[in-house]
């Protein structure tokens, strides 16, 4: 007899459900552990909303998850808050816009310098920070070459730290006072990049000092300082935006912020698609075997296989203790009957066998007589007579008399035949009394 396997099956089901929950949780967690301004990050400081908005606006957008040493010539690159290896920040050199323009506003304090250092530390967040990369010198040269060949690079720096890419294009960044809060930005002149944009509301981290020949796209409505501009370079161009919060999920719905990104990206996508750099936010196209399988949906096939195996195991097993096969029970009962009959024949227990047959028939007739099933055959006869069932009472009395005088095997066989006929007659009457279905 087998033991009950239900607890094992229940434990296996719980493990399977736990594995599915862990898999789904890890898939959803990408929205929280991704780096700041990653298009995978769904937190307030992520750019997932921008990416999905552009997709919904029919703008051809993709994600780049490989090094910029090799750039697809058919794509415009978008760099959101990525840093350069050559951009070493010196906290003792406080880059104030007013000081750069000859103002005597004063000397920066230690608190100001520390604020800039803390500001830089806030750039990287989430568990993916360990995988974030800086743009190398070789990648920077590839970006410049990409623009010279006619492509556009959209660069949104996090702060005003020294930047070799902007330095190569004679673009300056100056720190905007953090206490100013959200600023209202307006297009200084109509361009396709700001079509339908009347005002943009966002905090500003850096004012942009554009070189000669550049086109300002957004300026501060009150201060008149440039926040976004287009700088031609070779046959291509660079668009620099000094307000990284403008790409964040929480700011996208304000004023004409979403319209600005739609007009900008639609204009850039006329000749080339838009590719958001995720490689320097820690996401690479290098995959393990498990990730490769997940990419092509093989994990779903594995889950289906496991589910099929679970149903197969369920079909093979039953709850509770195992039952003996019907054939085995039938053969065992037949063997037991033959063994018992042999014992009766060899021991010449004819009277006892006959009385056992009569006792069984009396138990079935006891229900008709209103007697107890434990009543003796003679008591059942009396009860049948009281109920007016004299024919059955006479038959049972005759069988009782024959059982007492059954000294041969043939007499037992005849008694058993008569009891069988009486029992069959009783069963037919019961079936006829049942209502038709």
């Amino acid at each position: 007899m087998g033991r009950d396997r239900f607890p094992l099956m229940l434990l296996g089901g719980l493990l399977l459900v736990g594995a599915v929950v862990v898999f789904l949780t890890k898939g959803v967690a990408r929205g929280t552990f991704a780096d700041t301004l990653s298009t995978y990050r769904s937190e307030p400081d992520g750019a997932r909303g921008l990416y999905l908005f552009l997709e919904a606006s029919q703008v051809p957008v993709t994600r780049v998850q490989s090094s910029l040493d090799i750039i697809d010539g058919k794509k415009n690159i978008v760099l959101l808050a990525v840093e350069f290896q050559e951009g070493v920040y010196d906290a003792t050199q406080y880059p104030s816009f007013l000081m750069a323009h000859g103002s005597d506003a004063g000397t920066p304090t230690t608190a100001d310098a520390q604020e800039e250092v803390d500001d830089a530390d806030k750039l990287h967040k989430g568990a993916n920070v360990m995988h974030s990369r800086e743009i190398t010198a070789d990648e920077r040269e590839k970006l410049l070459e990409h623009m010279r060949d006619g492509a556009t690079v959209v660069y949104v720096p996090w702060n005003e730290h020294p930047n070799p890419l902007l330095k190569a294009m004679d673009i300056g960044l100056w720190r905007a006072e953090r206490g100013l809060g959200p600023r209202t930005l307006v297009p200084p002149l109509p361009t396709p990049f700001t079509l339908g944009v009347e005002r943009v509301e966002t905090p500003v981290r850096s004012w942009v000092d554009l070189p000669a020949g550049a086109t300002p796209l957004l300026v501060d409505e009150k201060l008149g300082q440039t926040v976004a501009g287009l700088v031609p370079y070779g046959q291509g161009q660079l668009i620099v935006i000094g307000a990284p919060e403008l790409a964040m999920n929480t700011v996208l719905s304000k004023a004409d912020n979403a319209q600005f990104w739609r007009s900008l990206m639609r204009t850039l996508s006329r000749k080339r698609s838009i590719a958001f750099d995720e490689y320097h936010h820690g996401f690479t196209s290098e995959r393990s075997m498990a990730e490769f399988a997940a990419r092509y949906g093989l994990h779903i096939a594995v889950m289906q296989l496991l589910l099929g195996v679970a149903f197969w195991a369920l079909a093979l097993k039953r709850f509770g203790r195992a039952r003996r096969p019907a054939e085995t029970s039938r053969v065992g009962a037949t063997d037991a009957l033959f063994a018992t009959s042999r014992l009766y024949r060899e021991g010449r227990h004819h009277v006892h066998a006959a009385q056992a047959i009569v006792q069984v028939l009396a138990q079935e007739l006891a229900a008709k007589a209103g007697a107890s099933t434990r009543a003796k055959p003679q008591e059942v006869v009396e009860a049948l007579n009281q109920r007016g069932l004299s024919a059955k009472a006479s038959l049972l009395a005759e069988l009782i008399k024959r059982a007492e005088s059954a000294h041969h095997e043939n007499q037992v066989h005849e008694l058993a035949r008569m009891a069988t006929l009486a029992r069959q007659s009783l069963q037919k009457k019961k079936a006829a009394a049942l209502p038709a279905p």
Side-chain angles (χ1 to χ4, degrees), residues 111-123 158:
D112 295 329
Q114 184 61 42
E115 182 182 354
E116 291 195 9
V117 175
D118 295 340
D119 187 51
D121 293 338
K122 295 177 183 177
L123 170 58
W158 181 254

Side-chain angles (χ1 to χ4, degrees), residues 335-409:
D335 292 343
L337 180 61
F338 276 114
T340 303
S341 65
R342 181 180 178 83
L343 289 174
Y344 276 105
R345 285 196 304 270
E346 295 296 333
R348 295 183 176 275
H349 300 298
H350 302 100
V351 174
H352 179 76
Q355 289 177 345
I357 295 173
V358 173
Q359 181 66 38
V360 173
L361 179 61
Q363 289 177 353
E364 294 193 13
L365 291 173
K368 289 284 186 179
S372 172
T373 56
R374 296 183 180 182
K376 295 180 179 181
Q378 191 60 43
E379 295 175 351
V380 176
V381 172
E382 296 174 358
L384 289 172
N385 286 323
Q386 292 177 2
R387 287 287 184 96
L389 302 173
S390 57
K392 291 182 174 60
S394 300
L395 176 61
L396 183 58
E398 178 66 22
L399 292 175
I400 293 173
K401 185 181 296 185
R402 290 191 177 216
E404 293 174 351
S405 60
H407 299 293
H408 299 285
E409 187 174 342

Side-chain angles (χ1 to χ4, degrees), residues 187 190-199 255-257 259-260 262-263:
T191 64
F193 302 98
T194 56
L195 182 65
V197 178
E198 295 183 2
R199 60 185 180 86
D256 296 328
N257 296 8
Q259 180 61 39
F260 168 74
R262 178 163 54 185
S263 298

